[in-house]
Amino acid sequence: MTTVFASVGGESLTSVVYAAEKTLSEKEAIALAQKQLKNLGEYKLLSAEFVDGIEMLWGKSIWYTSWNKENGGSIGVQQDATSGEIWKYEYSGEERELDANQKKLTEDQAFQVATQFLKQVATEEERSRLSKPNEYPDSDIFYTRAKPGIDVNFTRIENGIPFLENGFRLIVGYDGEVIYFERRWTEGKLPDASKVIEITEAEKKWDEGAIPSFLYKDTASGSRKEPESYLPAYEFQREDPQFVDAITGKMLDSYGQISKERKIQPLGKNVPPNSTERKLISKDEAQKIAEKHLEKLPGTYRSNGKSFESGSGSQDKTWFFEFISQPGNGKKSDTVKIGIDDSGYLVQYNVNQKSRFREESKKIEKGITWEQAQESARKLVQTFYSDQLGEIYAVDYNPGEKRIKEILKNDEPYEIEFGYLINGIPEDDSIFQVDVDAETGEVVDLYNHLYNDGPSGDSSLPQKNADGIDLNTAKKVMKENKKFMLTYFHPKVSGSYGRVKMLEHPLLVYRYVGEKGLVKADGKWHSTKERKQ
């Protein structure tokens, strides 16, 4: 059975029980939302949509309703489609202006507002298992757009152990209203904490096996990327070994998989000449470049006359051109799309765009291996970017066996990633993706639109020198700014067709807990926590 918690009178909650297999009707969901969120009475319902669980991070089907009132902004609500629990609440609109004599909310006042809001959407039993407000840092599981206000984070505590990926996240606007709420609460049995290794043993394993990446990181606080804001630094990336499995003692990455040190090797030696001048090209020049790229591939292609442009005005432009393969011998031709930006750079290659995803999914009985897909992707990258292979590397990562089976079962492509190097050091946020058909081994998509967001190719950037710190010193600085703790851990993993989902079962891990940050090459700690002030 599943319990629905609805506010009745004052601040109290009563329970309404539904059969677990029953999905709430639209009418029932709306009624429960109005009971839990008292302010919805002031709003008019605009729409209600049922969203299947496969599309959601936690695999739960939800009802999404949107509400608005004249000159009063709008509200979006997500509810569990079975229990009616509020999973997400988001207010959109201008923050209420404060009078000259009114002061912005203090943090303590925001804590009080958030605590009162929780009484509407969480049970007393759930609230009894929460940390103090902001006792622990936000988890990466929680993601919100930047909003002005005060962040309030309540972490779930079980058996005295914090569960950083579980709890409640709120943002309280300076006018005293909750403008954002999100629930993260894992159901089911948790790992047995009586079987964990000792913390001293775990810390030793972390010292031996944790390996943060050394990379160029944009340390600017704003979204605008400038070369001078990029500095060499140590920071944990998704695939780096960074957690100690509290039961087995194995090192895990952020996906919860057993991890080891990754290799960073360029695909070749060629490096284009460094140039700060950006020469813009015309559409006709872009088409000639696209045709030159196709000449590198086996077979012949002809233009079908179709093209379109993205970007306008001051934005970077990209032109996309379509070509038809000429296979002969009665074989079926392919439609190939090439994207060239206004700097003459190939940013996309696509074969028979999306047609395979419109077809009914079929299980691949005999597919290629991940290693074969990597080789196929590597060959295409080497073909198209032959003059830049000294600054491109293949991301050293293998998905787990379960994920491979899921890919074959759902007829998904293998997603192979590559990144850019500056002075031999990986550049953060420069990853591009090559999709390989898991049955045929053919590359079906290359997507590389982010290559010019950072300072790729700028050899004037600061480098790691004789005075730079080594890996062990960087780890020492990290330890000085965080606390080693036993925690529950529920990682996000890659799911079907690029959707992110939660791992089936949470884990128990030892990890360093504290404010997000990195270690610069000069040995100084740099906080990367985003403040919504």
Side-chain angles (χ1 to χ4, degrees), residues 238-272:
R238 294 172 300 168
E239 300 89 354
D240 290 336
Q242 53 197 284
F243 306 130
V244 180
D245 188 306
I247 308 296
T248 67
K250 301 287 186 181
M251 292 302 303
L252 306 178
D253 61 19
S254 69
Y255 298 115
Q257 295 184 157
I258 296 175
S259 182
K260 59 183 179 181
E261 183 175 9
R262 296 185 294 139
K263 297 178 181 178
I264 304 293
Q265 294 180 332
L267 298 183
K269 296 182 179 179
N270 294 339
V271 176

Side-chain angles (χ1 to χ4, degrees), residues 215-220 223-232 271-276 278 345 388 391 419-431 450-463:
L215 43 72
Y216 276 107
K217 180 75 177 181
D218 180 19
T219 58
S223 59
R224 182 177 176 84
K225 295 175 180 288
E226 300 290 350
E228 57 267 24
S229 70
Y230 276 77
L231 297 172
V271 176
N274 183 39
S275 175
T276 57
R278 185 175 179 225
Y345 206 83
Q388 305 162 55
E391 59 182 27
Y420 284 89
L421 301 166
I422 306 173
N423 305 320
I425 301 171
E427 175 193 338
D428 188 41
D429 297 328
S430 71
I431 301 298
L450 300 178
Y451 81 96
N452 63 353
D453 279 0
S456 296
D458 190 343
S459 59
S460 66
L461 287 172
Q463 302 182 41

Side-chain angles (χ1 to χ4, degrees), residues 276-307:
T276 57
E277 182 182 4
R278 185 175 179 225
K279 296 180 180 178
L280 300 181
I281 64 171
S282 67
K283 177 181 176 180
D284 289 341
E285 290 173 309
Q287 180 159 355
K288 290 179 181 178
I289 293 172
E291 292 168 351
K292 285 288 185 184
H293 278 298
L294 284 176
E295 291 175 1
K296 302 173 184 178
L297 302 178
T300 58
Y301 298 82
R302 65 171 176 80
S303 171
N304 67 0
K306 294 182 180 180
S307 65

